[in-house]
PDB file of all heavy atoms in Angstrom:
ATOM      1  N   GLY A  17      76.397 178.805   5.393  1.00 98.00           N
ATOM      2  CA  GLY A  17      77.054 178.006   4.351  1.00 98.00           C
ATOM      3  C   GLY A  17      76.326 176.727   4.015  1.00 98.00           C
ATOM      4  O   GLY A  17      76.937 175.767   3.533  1.00 98.00           O
ATOM      5  N   VAL A  18      74.996 176.688   4.240  1.00 98.00           N
ATOM      6  CA  VAL A  18      74.238 175.451   4.052  1.00 98.00           C
ATOM      7  C   VAL A  18      73.731 175.314   2.622  1.00 98.00           C
ATOM      8  O   VAL A  18      73.625 176.294   1.881  1.00 98.00           O
ATOM      9  CB  VAL A  18      73.047 175.388   5.024  1.00 98.00           C
ATOM     10  CG1 VAL A  18      73.541 175.346   6.466  1.00 98.00           C
ATOM     11  CG2 VAL A  18      72.108 176.572   4.826  1.00 98.00           C
ATOM     12  N   ASP A  19      73.395 174.094   2.256  1.00 98.00           N
ATOM     13  CA  ASP A  19      72.815 173.801   0.952  1.00 98.00           C
ATOM     14  C   ASP A  19      71.303 173.693   1.018  1.00 98.00           C
ATOM     15  O   ASP A  19      70.610 173.959   0.031  1.00 98.00           O
ATOM     16  CB  ASP A  19      73.398 172.500   0.400  1.00 98.00           C
ATOM     17  CG  ASP A  19      74.908 172.575   0.261  1.00 98.00           C
ATOM     18  OD1 ASP A  19      75.383 173.294  -0.620  1.00 98.00           O
ATOM     19  OD2 ASP A  19      75.600 171.927   1.078  1.00 98.00           O
ATOM     20  N   LEU A  20      70.783 173.274   2.176  1.00 98.00           N
ATOM     21  CA  LEU A  20      69.343 173.151   2.383  1.00 98.00           C
ATOM     22  C   LEU A  20      69.018 173.615   3.803  1.00 98.00           C
ATOM     23  O   LEU A  20      69.808 173.381   4.734  1.00 98.00           O
ATOM     24  CB  LEU A  20      68.867 171.711   2.199  1.00 98.00           C
ATOM     25  CG  LEU A  20      69.227 171.025   0.874  1.00 98.00           C
ATOM     26  CD1 LEU A  20      70.356 170.008   1.101  1.00 98.00           C
ATOM     27  CD2 LEU A  20      68.010 170.318   0.269  1.00 98.00           C
ATOM     28  N   LEU A  21      67.860 174.268   3.964  1.00 98.00           N
ATOM     29  CA  LEU A  21      67.493 174.801   5.271  1.00 98.00           C
ATOM     30  C   LEU A  21      65.982 174.781   5.421  1.00 98.00           C
ATOM     31  O   LEU A  21      65.248 175.185   4.523  1.00 98.00           O
ATOM     32  CB  LEU A  21      68.032 176.231   5.438  1.00 98.00           C
ATOM     33  CG  LEU A  21      67.741 176.945   6.755  1.00 98.00           C
ATOM     34  CD1 LEU A  21      68.942 177.810   7.175  1.00 98.00           C
ATOM     35  CD2 LEU A  21      66.480 177.811   6.655  1.00 98.00           C
ATOM     36  N   THR A  22      65.520 174.309   6.575  1.00 98.00           N
ATOM     37  CA  THR A  22      64.095 174.173   6.874  1.00 98.00           C
ATOM     38  C   THR A  22      63.580 175.381   7.639  1.00 98.00           C
ATOM     39  O   THR A  22      64.195 175.814   8.616  1.00 98.00           O
ATOM     40  CB  THR A  22      63.859 172.895   7.695  1.00 98.00           C
ATOM     41  OG1 THR A  22      64.118 171.757   6.864  1.00 98.00           O
ATOM     42  CG2 THR A  22      62.447 172.821   8.228  1.00 98.00           C
ATOM     43  N   VAL A  23      62.445 175.916   7.197  1.00 98.00           N
ATOM     44  CA  VAL A  23      61.753 177.028   7.848  1.00 98.00           C
ATOM     45  C   VAL A  23      60.368 176.544   8.270  1.00 98.00           C
ATOM     46  O   VAL A  23      59.676 175.887   7.483  1.00 98.00           O
ATOM     47  CB  VAL A  23      61.600 178.229   6.892  1.00 98.00           C
ATOM     48  CG1 VAL A  23      60.827 179.366   7.561  1.00 98.00           C
ATOM     49  CG2 VAL A  23      62.965 178.717   6.406  1.00 98.00           C
ATOM     50  N   VAL A  24      59.952 176.885   9.489  1.00 98.00           N
ATOM     51  CA  VAL A  24      58.629 176.497   9.988  1.00 98.00           C
ATOM     52  C   VAL A  24      57.897 177.752  10.457  1.00 98.00           C
ATOM     53  O   VAL A  24      58.350 178.432  11.377  1.00 98.00           O
ATOM     54  CB  VAL A  24      58.743 175.477  11.127  1.00 98.00           C
ATOM     55  CG1 VAL A  24      57.366 175.141  11.684  1.00 98.00           C
ATOM     56  CG2 VAL A  24      59.430 174.214  10.635  1.00 98.00           C
ATOM     57  N   GLY A  25      56.726 178.021   9.855  1.00 97.00           N
ATOM     58  CA  GLY A  25      56.031 179.273  10.104  1.00 97.00           C
ATOM     59  C   GLY A  25      55.514 179.453  11.517  1.00 97.00           C
ATOM     60  O   GLY A  25      55.634 180.536  12.100  1.00 97.00           O
ATOM     61  N   HIS A  26      54.935 178.406  12.105  1.00 97.00           N
ATOM     62  CA  HIS A  26      54.233 178.614  13.374  1.00 97.00           C
ATOM     63  C   HIS A  26      55.157 178.791  14.564  1.00 97.00           C
ATOM     64  O   HIS A  26      54.694 179.057  15.680  1.00 97.00           O
ATOM     65  CB  HIS A  26      53.236 177.475  13.632  1.00 97.00           C
ATOM     66  CG  HIS A  26      53.840 176.181  14.055  1.00 97.00           C
ATOM     67  ND1 HIS A  26      53.923 175.800  15.368  1.00 97.00           N
ATOM     68  CD2 HIS A  26      54.369 175.159  13.342  1.00 97.00           C
ATOM     69  CE1 HIS A  26      54.479 174.605  15.451  1.00 97.00           C
ATOM     70  NE2 HIS A  26      54.762 174.189  14.247  1.00 97.00           N
ATOM     71  N   LYS A  27      56.454 178.705  14.349  1.00 97.00           N
ATOM     72  CA  LYS A  27      57.390 178.953  15.442  1.00 97.00           C
ATOM     73  C   LYS A  27      57.669 180.441  15.642  1.00 97.00           C
ATOM     74  O   LYS A  27      58.254 180.832  16.659  1.00 97.00           O
ATOM     75  CB  LYS A  27      58.725 178.224  15.189  1.00 97.00           C
ATOM     76  CG  LYS A  27      58.605 176.722  15.002  1.00 97.00           C
ATOM     77  CD  LYS A  27      58.038 176.013  16.193  1.00 97.00           C
ATOM     78  CE  LYS A  27      58.081 174.492  15.993  1.00 97.00           C
ATOM     79  NZ  LYS A  27      57.492 173.779  17.139  1.00 97.00           N
ATOM     80  N   PHE A  28      57.257 181.295  14.677  1.00 98.00           N
ATOM     81  CA  PHE A  28      57.545 182.726  14.830  1.00 98.00           C
ATOM     82  C   PHE A  28      56.414 183.616  14.328  1.00 98.00           C
ATOM     83  O   PHE A  28      56.651 184.705  13.814  1.00 98.00           O
ATOM     84  CB  PHE A  28      58.886 183.100  14.186  1.00 98.00           C
ATOM     85  CG  PHE A  28      58.985 182.902  12.700  1.00 98.00           C
ATOM     86  CD1 PHE A  28      58.925 183.990  11.837  1.00 98.00           C
ATOM     87  CD2 PHE A  28      59.167 181.645  12.161  1.00 98.00           C
ATOM     88  CE1 PHE A  28      59.030 183.820  10.470  1.00 98.00           C
ATOM     89  CE2 PHE A  28      59.290 181.471  10.787  1.00 98.00           C
ATOM     90  CZ  PHE A  28      59.214 182.560   9.939  1.00 98.00           C
ATOM     91  N   GLY A  29      55.175 183.174  14.521  1.00 98.00           N
ATOM     92  CA  GLY A  29      54.057 184.076  14.302  1.00 98.00           C
ATOM     93  C   GLY A  29      53.260 183.865  13.050  1.00 98.00           C
ATOM     94  O   GLY A  29      52.282 184.577  12.802  1.00 98.00           O
ATOM     95  N   ALA A  30      53.624 182.916  12.202  1.00 98.00           N
ATOM     96  CA  ALA A  30      52.819 182.514  11.054  1.00 98.00           C
ATOM     97  C   ALA A  30      51.916 181.362  11.477  1.00 98.00           C
ATOM     98  O   ALA A  30      52.066 180.810  12.571  1.00 98.00           O
ATOM     99  CB  ALA A  30      53.723 182.121   9.885  1.00 98.00           C
ATOM    100  N   PRO A  31      50.969 180.962  10.633  1.00 98.00           N
ATOM    101  CA  PRO A  31      50.069 179.869  11.037  1.00 98.00           C
ATOM    102  C   PRO A  31      50.732 178.506  10.986  1.00 98.00           C
ATOM    103  O   PRO A  31      51.776 178.322  10.358  1.00 98.00           O
ATOM    104  CB  PRO A  31      48.937 179.957  10.004  1.00 98.00           C
ATOM    105  CG  PRO A  31      49.572 180.573   8.809  1.00 98.00           C
ATOM    106  CD  PRO A  31      50.585 181.553   9.350  1.00 98.00           C
ATOM    107  N   LYS A  32      50.110 177.559  11.663  1.00 97.00           N
ATOM    108  CA  LYS A  32      50.517 176.161  11.529  1.00 97.00           C
ATOM    109  C   LYS A  32      50.153 175.678  10.129  1.00 97.00           C
ATOM    110  O   LYS A  32      49.222 176.187   9.505  1.00 97.00           O
ATOM    111  CB  LYS A  32      49.820 175.301  12.577  1.00 97.00           C
ATOM    112  CG  LYS A  32      50.090 175.743  14.012  1.00 97.00           C
ATOM    113  CD  LYS A  32      49.190 174.996  14.964  1.00 97.00           C
ATOM    114  CE  LYS A  32      49.282 175.577  16.361  1.00 97.00           C
ATOM    115  NZ  LYS A  32      48.698 176.953  16.426  1.00 97.00           N
ATOM    116  N   GLY A  33      50.880 174.690   9.649  1.00 97.00           N
ATOM    117  CA  GLY A  33      50.547 174.116   8.354  1.00 97.00           C
ATOM    118  C   GLY A  33      51.235 174.766   7.179  1.00 97.00           C
ATOM    119  O   GLY A  33      50.832 174.549   6.033  1.00 97.00           O
ATOM    120  N   VAL A  34      52.293 175.534   7.433  1.00 98.00           N
ATOM    121  CA  VAL A  34      53.054 176.107   6.324  1.00 98.00           C
ATOM    122  C   VAL A  34      54.519 176.224   6.738  1.00 98.00           C
ATOM    123  O   VAL A  34      54.849 176.522   7.884  1.00 98.00           O
ATOM    124  CB  VAL A  34      52.505 177.486   5.901  1.00 98.00           C
ATOM    125  CG1 VAL A  34      52.707 178.539   6.995  1.00 98.00           C
ATOM    126  CG2 VAL A  34      53.136 177.950   4.590  1.00 98.00           C
ATOM    127  N   GLY A  35      55.386 175.933   5.795  1.00 98.00           N
ATOM    128  CA  GLY A  35      56.833 176.053   6.000  1.00 98.00           C
ATOM    129  C   GLY A  35      57.497 176.212   4.655  1.00 98.00           C
ATOM    130  O   GLY A  35      56.830 176.372   3.620  1.00 98.00           O
ATOM    131  N   ALA A  36      58.799 176.164   4.668  1.00 98.00           N
ATOM    132  CA  ALA A  36      59.550 176.306   3.423  1.00 98.00           C
ATOM    133  C   ALA A  36      60.853 175.536   3.522  1.00 98.00           C
ATOM    134  O   ALA A  36      61.388 175.330   4.623  1.00 98.00           O
ATOM    135  CB  ALA A  36      59.829 177.779   3.118  1.00 98.00           C
ATOM    136  N   LEU A  37      61.344 175.115   2.372  1.00 98.00           N
ATOM    137  CA  LEU A  37      62.664 174.510   2.287  1.00 98.00           C
ATOM    138  C   LEU A  37      63.504 175.343   1.346  1.00 98.00           C
ATOM    139  O   LEU A  37      63.134 175.566   0.191  1.00 98.00           O
ATOM    140  CB  LEU A  37      62.581 173.070   1.769  1.00 98.00           C
ATOM    141  CG  LEU A  37      63.934 172.355   1.622  1.00 98.00           C
ATOM    142  CD1 LEU A  37      64.580 172.137   2.992  1.00 98.00           C
ATOM    143  CD2 LEU A  37      63.773 171.031   0.886  1.00 98.00           C
ATOM    144  N   TYR A  38      64.637 175.823   1.856  1.00 98.00           N
ATOM    145  CA  TYR A  38      65.632 176.478   1.017  1.00 98.00           C
ATOM    146  C   TYR A  38      66.496 175.407   0.382  1.00 98.00           C
ATOM    147  O   TYR A  38      66.991 174.505   1.072  1.00 98.00           O
ATOM    148  CB  TYR A  38      66.501 177.421   1.855  1.00 98.00           C
ATOM    149  CG  TYR A  38      67.823 177.768   1.205  1.00 98.00           C
ATOM    150  CD1 TYR A  38      67.894 178.713   0.185  1.00 98.00           C
ATOM    151  CD2 TYR A  38      69.000 177.134   1.592  1.00 98.00           C
ATOM    152  CE1 TYR A  38      69.107 179.020  -0.425  1.00 98.00           C
ATOM    153  CE2 TYR A  38      70.205 177.432   0.998  1.00 98.00           C
ATOM    154  CZ  TYR A  38      70.257 178.377  -0.015  1.00 98.00           C
ATOM    155  OH  TYR A  38      71.465 178.667  -0.613  1.00 98.00           O
ATOM    156  N   VAL A  39      66.662 175.498  -0.932  1.00 98.00           N
ATOM    157  CA  VAL A  39      67.533 174.585  -1.672  1.00 98.00           C
ATOM    158  C   VAL A  39      68.481 175.432  -2.519  1.00 98.00           C
ATOM    159  O   VAL A  39      68.046 176.096  -3.466  1.00 98.00           O
ATOM    160  CB  VAL A  39      66.724 173.639  -2.590  1.00 98.00           C
ATOM    161  CG1 VAL A  39      67.659 172.664  -3.300  1.00 98.00           C
ATOM    162  CG2 VAL A  39      65.668 172.873  -1.791  1.00 98.00           C
ATOM    163  N   ARG A  40      69.737 175.423  -2.157  1.00 98.00           N
ATOM    164  CA  ARG A  40      70.726 176.206  -2.910  1.00 98.00           C
ATOM    165  C   ARG A  40      70.705 175.799  -4.386  1.00 98.00           C
ATOM    166  O   ARG A  40      70.619 174.605  -4.714  1.00 98.00           O
ATOM    167  CB  ARG A  40      72.124 175.999  -2.320  1.00 98.00           C
ATOM    168  CG  ARG A  40      73.213 176.861  -2.978  1.00 98.00           C
ATOM    169  CD  ARG A  40      74.572 176.561  -2.360  1.00 98.00           C
ATOM    170  NE  ARG A  40      74.632 176.971  -0.966  1.00 98.00           N
ATOM    171  CZ  ARG A  40      74.916 178.222  -0.567  1.00 98.00           C
ATOM    172  NH1 ARG A  40      75.153 179.162  -1.467  1.00 98.00           N
ATOM    173  NH2 ARG A  40      74.957 178.500   0.720  1.00 98.00           N
ATOM    174  N   LYS A  41      70.784 176.774  -5.241  1.00 97.00           N
ATOM    175  CA  LYS A  41      70.758 176.513  -6.679  1.00 97.00           C
ATOM    176  C   LYS A  41      71.826 175.482  -7.050  1.00 97.00           C
ATOM    177  O   LYS A  41      72.978 175.590  -6.653  1.00 97.00           O
ATOM    178  CB  LYS A  41      70.998 177.807  -7.449  1.00 97.00           C
ATOM    179  CG  LYS A  41      70.858 177.663  -8.962  1.00 97.00           C
ATOM    180  CD  LYS A  41      71.055 178.997  -9.670  1.00 97.00           C
ATOM    181  CE  LYS A  41      70.928 178.832 -11.179  1.00 97.00           C
ATOM    182  NZ  LYS A  41      71.141 180.125 -11.899  1.00 97.00           N
ATOM    183  N   GLY A  42      71.413 174.455  -7.794  1.00 97.00           N
ATOM    184  CA  GLY A  42      72.330 173.409  -8.235  1.00 97.00           C
ATOM    185  C   GLY A  42      72.398 172.214  -7.316  1.00 97.00           C
ATOM    186  O   GLY A  42      73.055 171.223  -7.642  1.00 97.00           O
ATOM    187  N   THR A  43      71.711 172.277  -6.149  1.00 98.00           N
ATOM    188  CA  THR A  43      71.724 171.147  -5.214  1.00 98.00           C
ATOM    189  C   THR A  43      70.851 170.016  -5.757  1.00 98.00           C
ATOM    190  O   THR A  43      69.685 170.239  -6.086  1.00 98.00           O
ATOM    191  CB  THR A  43      71.191 171.584  -3.838  1.00 98.00           C
ATOM    192  OG1 THR A  43      72.040 172.621  -3.321  1.00 98.00           O
ATOM    193  CG2 THR A  43      71.175 170.416  -2.865  1.00 98.00           C
ATOM    194  N   PRO A  44      71.387 168.812  -5.856  1.00 98.00           N
ATOM    195  CA  PRO A  44      70.585 167.694  -6.376  1.00 98.00           C
ATOM    196  C   PRO A  44      69.561 167.229  -5.357  1.00 98.00           C
ATOM    197  O   PRO A  44      69.906 166.827  -4.246  1.00 98.00           O
ATOM    198  CB  PRO A  44      71.635 166.607  -6.637  1.00 98.00           C
ATOM    199  CG  PRO A  44      72.752 166.915  -5.691  1.00 98.00           C
ATOM    200  CD  PRO A  44      72.777 168.408  -5.542  1.00 98.00           C
ATOM    201  N   VAL A  45      68.283 167.293  -5.718  1.00 98.00           N
ATOM    202  CA  VAL A  45      67.212 166.837  -4.839  1.00 98.00           C
ATOM    203  C   VAL A  45      66.019 166.458  -5.703  1.00 98.00           C
ATOM    204  O   VAL A  45      65.696 167.139  -6.666  1.00 98.00           O
ATOM    205  CB  VAL A  45      66.840 167.930  -3.800  1.00 98.00           C
ATOM    206  CG1 VAL A  45      66.437 169.237  -4.467  1.00 98.00           C
ATOM    207  CG2 VAL A  45      65.777 167.449  -2.836  1.00 98.00           C
ATOM    208  N   ARG A  46      65.401 165.350  -5.347  1.00 97.00           N
ATOM    209  CA  ARG A  46      64.235 164.872  -6.081  1.00 97.00           C
ATOM    210  C   ARG A  46      62.992 164.987  -5.209  1.00 97.00           C
ATOM    211  O   ARG A  46      63.082 164.909  -3.986  1.00 97.00           O
ATOM    212  CB  ARG A  46      64.424 163.408  -6.502  1.00 97.00           C
ATOM    213  CG  ARG A  46      65.462 163.232  -7.605  1.00 97.00           C
ATOM    214  CD  ARG A  46      65.534 161.783  -8.029  1.00 97.00           C
ATOM    215  NE  ARG A  46      66.562 161.573  -9.057  1.00 97.00           N
ATOM    216  CZ  ARG A  46      66.928 160.388  -9.504  1.00 97.00           C
ATOM    217  NH1 ARG A  46      66.349 159.294  -9.027  1.00 97.00           N
ATOM    218  NH2 ARG A  46      67.854 160.275 -10.422  1.00 97.00           N
ATOM    219  N   PRO A  47      61.821 165.142  -5.825  1.00 96.00           N
ATOM    220  CA  PRO A  47      60.591 165.232  -5.027  1.00 96.00           C
ATOM    221  C   PRO A  47      60.313 163.939  -4.276  1.00 96.00           C
ATOM    222  O   PRO A  47      60.644 162.849  -4.749  1.00 96.00           O
ATOM    223  CB  PRO A  47      59.510 165.525  -6.072  1.00 96.00           C
ATOM    224  CG  PRO A  47      60.089 165.068  -7.366  1.00 96.00           C
ATOM    225  CD  PRO A  47      61.574 165.276  -7.261  1.00 96.00           C
ATOM    226  N   VAL A  48      59.693 164.075  -3.122  1.00 94.00           N
ATOM    227  CA  VAL A  48      59.271 162.925  -2.329  1.00 94.00           C
ATOM    228  C   VAL A  48      57.826 162.556  -2.664  1.00 94.00           C
ATOM    229  O   VAL A  48      57.471 161.385  -2.728  1.00 94.00           O
ATOM    230  CB  VAL A  48      59.428 163.229  -0.822  1.00 94.00           C
ATOM    231  CG1 VAL A  48      58.807 162.140   0.024  1.00 94.00           C
ATOM    232  CG2 VAL A  48      60.905 163.394  -0.468  1.00 94.00           C
ATOM    233  N   LEU A  49      57.008 163.589  -2.876  1.00 92.00           N
ATOM    234  CA  LEU A  49      55.623 163.383  -3.287  1.00 92.00           C
ATOM    235  C   LEU A  49      55.542 163.406  -4.807  1.00 92.00           C
ATOM    236  O   LEU A  49      56.272 164.154  -5.463  1.00 92.00           O
ATOM    237  CB  LEU A  49      54.721 164.479  -2.712  1.00 92.00           C
ATOM    238  CG  LEU A  49      54.687 164.612  -1.183  1.00 92.00           C
ATOM    239  CD1 LEU A  49      53.810 165.789  -0.779  1.00 92.00           C
ATOM    240  CD2 LEU A  49      54.179 163.334  -0.545  1.00 92.00           C
ATOM    241  N   LEU A  50      54.650 162.625  -5.361  1.00 91.00           N
ATOM    242  CA  LEU A  50      54.473 162.570  -6.803  1.00 91.00           C
ATOM    243  C   LEU A  50      53.134 163.180  -7.166  1.00 91.00           C
ATOM    244  O   LEU A  50      52.118 162.903  -6.530  1.00 91.00           O
ATOM    245  CB  LEU A  50      54.562 161.125  -7.298  1.00 91.00           C
ATOM    246  CG  LEU A  50      55.876 160.403  -6.990  1.00 91.00           C
ATOM    247  CD1 LEU A  50      55.820 158.981  -7.510  1.00 91.00           C
ATOM    248  CD2 LEU A  50      57.057 161.159  -7.567  1.00 91.00           C
ATOM    249  N   GLY A  51      53.134 164.026  -8.190  1.00 92.00           N
ATOM    250  CA  GLY A  51      51.912 164.693  -8.599  1.00 92.00           C
ATOM    251  C   GLY A  51      52.185 165.654  -9.728  1.00 92.00           C
ATOM    252  O   GLY A  51      53.001 165.367 -10.613  1.00 92.00           O
ATOM    253  N   ALA A  52      51.531 166.791  -9.690  1.00 90.00           N
ATOM    254  CA  ALA A  52      51.689 167.788 -10.755  1.00 90.00           C
ATOM    255  C   ALA A  52      52.960 168.600 -10.528  1.00 90.00           C
ATOM    256  O   ALA A  52      53.765 168.297  -9.651  1.00 90.00           O
ATOM    257  CB  ALA A  52      50.454 168.670 -10.799  1.00 90.00           C
ATOM    258  N   GLY A  53      53.111 169.649 -11.303  1.00 88.00           N
ATOM    259  CA  GLY A  53      54.385 170.383 -11.314  1.00 88.00           C
ATOM    260  C   GLY A  53      54.439 171.603 -10.435  1.00 88.00           C
ATOM    261  O   GLY A  53      55.203 172.537 -10.725  1.00 88.00           O
ATOM    262  N   HIS A  54      53.672 171.634  -9.336  1.00 92.00           N
ATOM    263  CA  HIS A  54      53.709 172.792  -8.436  1.00 92.00           C
ATOM    264  C   HIS A  54      55.108 172.981  -7.853  1.00 92.00           C
ATOM    265  O   HIS A  54      55.900 172.047  -7.779  1.00 92.00           O
ATOM    266  CB  HIS A  54      52.718 172.601  -7.281  1.00 92.00           C
ATOM    267  CG  HIS A  54      51.325 172.280  -7.719  1.00 92.00           C
ATOM    268  ND1 HIS A  54      50.910 170.995  -7.958  1.00 92.00           N
ATOM    269  CD2 HIS A  54      50.258 173.079  -7.960  1.00 92.00           C
ATOM    270  CE1 HIS A  54      49.636 171.009  -8.317  1.00 92.00           C
ATOM    271  NE2 HIS A  54      49.220 172.264  -8.332  1.00 92.00           N
ATOM    272  N   GLU A  55      55.375 174.195  -7.394  1.00 90.00           N
ATOM    273  CA  GLU A  55      56.675 174.527  -6.789  1.00 90.00           C
ATOM    274  C   GLU A  55      57.828 174.057  -7.679  1.00 90.00           C
ATOM    275  O   GLU A  55      58.777 173.412  -7.206  1.00 90.00           O
ATOM    276  CB  GLU A  55      56.776 173.949  -5.378  1.00 90.00           C
ATOM    277  CG  GLU A  55      55.831 174.602  -4.385  1.00 90.00           C
ATOM    278  CD  GLU A  55      56.086 176.089  -4.188  1.00 90.00           C
ATOM    279  OE1 GLU A  55      57.134 176.457  -3.643  1.00 90.00           O
ATOM    280  OE2 GLU A  55      55.222 176.907  -4.613  1.00 90.00           O
ATOM    281  N   ARG A  56      57.701 174.380  -8.936  1.00 91.00           N
ATOM    282  CA  ARG A  56      58.736 174.074  -9.938  1.00 91.00           C
ATOM    283  C   ARG A  56      59.101 172.592  -9.940  1.00 91.00           C
ATOM    284  O   ARG A  56      60.253 172.214 -10.133  1.00 91.00           O
ATOM    285  CB  ARG A  56      59.957 174.966  -9.708  1.00 91.00           C
ATOM    286  CG  ARG A  56      59.586 176.454  -9.855  1.00 91.00           C
ATOM    287  CD  ARG A  56      60.730 177.405  -9.679  1.00 91.00           C
ATOM    288  NE  ARG A  56      61.451 177.287  -8.432  1.00 91.00           N
ATOM    289  CZ  ARG A  56      60.956 177.685  -7.250  1.00 91.00           C
ATOM    290  NH1 ARG A  56      59.732 178.158  -7.151  1.00 91.00           N
ATOM    291  NH2 ARG A  56      61.683 177.591  -6.172  1.00 91.00           N
ATOM    292  N   GLY A  57      58.074 171.770  -9.703  1.00 88.00           N
ATOM    293  CA  GLY A  57      58.235 170.330  -9.821  1.00 88.00           C
ATOM    294  C   GLY A  57      58.789 169.630  -8.602  1.00 88.00           C
ATOM    295  O   GLY A  57      58.875 168.399  -8.591  1.00 88.00           O
ATOM    296  N   LEU A  58      59.129 170.381  -7.549  1.00 93.00           N
ATOM    297  CA  LEU A  58      59.743 169.743  -6.385  1.00 93.00           C
ATOM    298  C   LEU A  58      58.725 169.356  -5.314  1.00 93.00           C
ATOM    299  O   LEU A  58      58.926 168.387  -4.587  1.00 93.00           O
ATOM    300  CB  LEU A  58      60.811 170.657  -5.771  1.00 93.00           C
ATOM    301  CG  LEU A  58      61.682 170.035  -4.683  1.00 93.00           C
ATOM    302  CD1 LEU A  58      62.407 168.792  -5.198  1.00 93.00           C
ATOM    303  CD2 LEU A  58      62.683 171.050  -4.149  1.00 93.00           C
ATOM    304  N   ARG A  59      57.623 170.097  -5.238  1.00 95.00           N
ATOM    305  CA  ARG A  59      56.642 169.802  -4.186  1.00 95.00           C
ATOM    306  C   ARG A  59      55.232 169.938  -4.764  1.00 95.00           C
ATOM    307  O   ARG A  59      54.662 171.023  -4.757  1.00 95.00           O
ATOM    308  CB  ARG A  59      56.844 170.752  -3.011  1.00 95.00           C
ATOM    309  CG  ARG A  59      56.201 170.292  -1.707  1.00 95.00           C
ATOM    310  CD  ARG A  59      54.724 170.612  -1.643  1.00 95.00           C
ATOM    311  NE  ARG A  59      54.154 170.310  -0.333  1.00 95.00           N
ATOM    312  CZ  ARG A  59      52.903 170.552  -0.019  1.00 95.00           C
ATOM    313  NH1 ARG A  59      52.063 171.100  -0.890  1.00 95.00           N
ATOM    314  NH2 ARG A  59      52.456 170.255   1.188  1.00 95.00           N
TER     315      ARG A  59
END
């Protein structure tokens, strides 16, 4: 029932240096890094 959830690859067999953030559709969140529009403007 969460709105946001953190995934880390190297804890279960993927390489270090990659992860993912689940953001439920409609959840208000702004990017922390500023730059181009990768990852639909969030990252």
Side-chain angles (χ1 to χ4, degrees):
V18 296
D19 301 289
L20 306 105
L21 180 143
T22 292
V23 178
V24 177
H26 75 97
K27 303 299 186 182
F28 63 104
K32 302 171 189 68
V34 67
L37 179 66
Y38 160 78
V39 182
R40 184 182 294 276
K41 185 178 179 181
T43 299
V45 57
R46 289 184 182 173
V48 172
L49 301 177
L50 301 179
H54 307 87
E55 292 298 293
R56 299 181 304 288
L58 189 58
R59 198 279 187 177

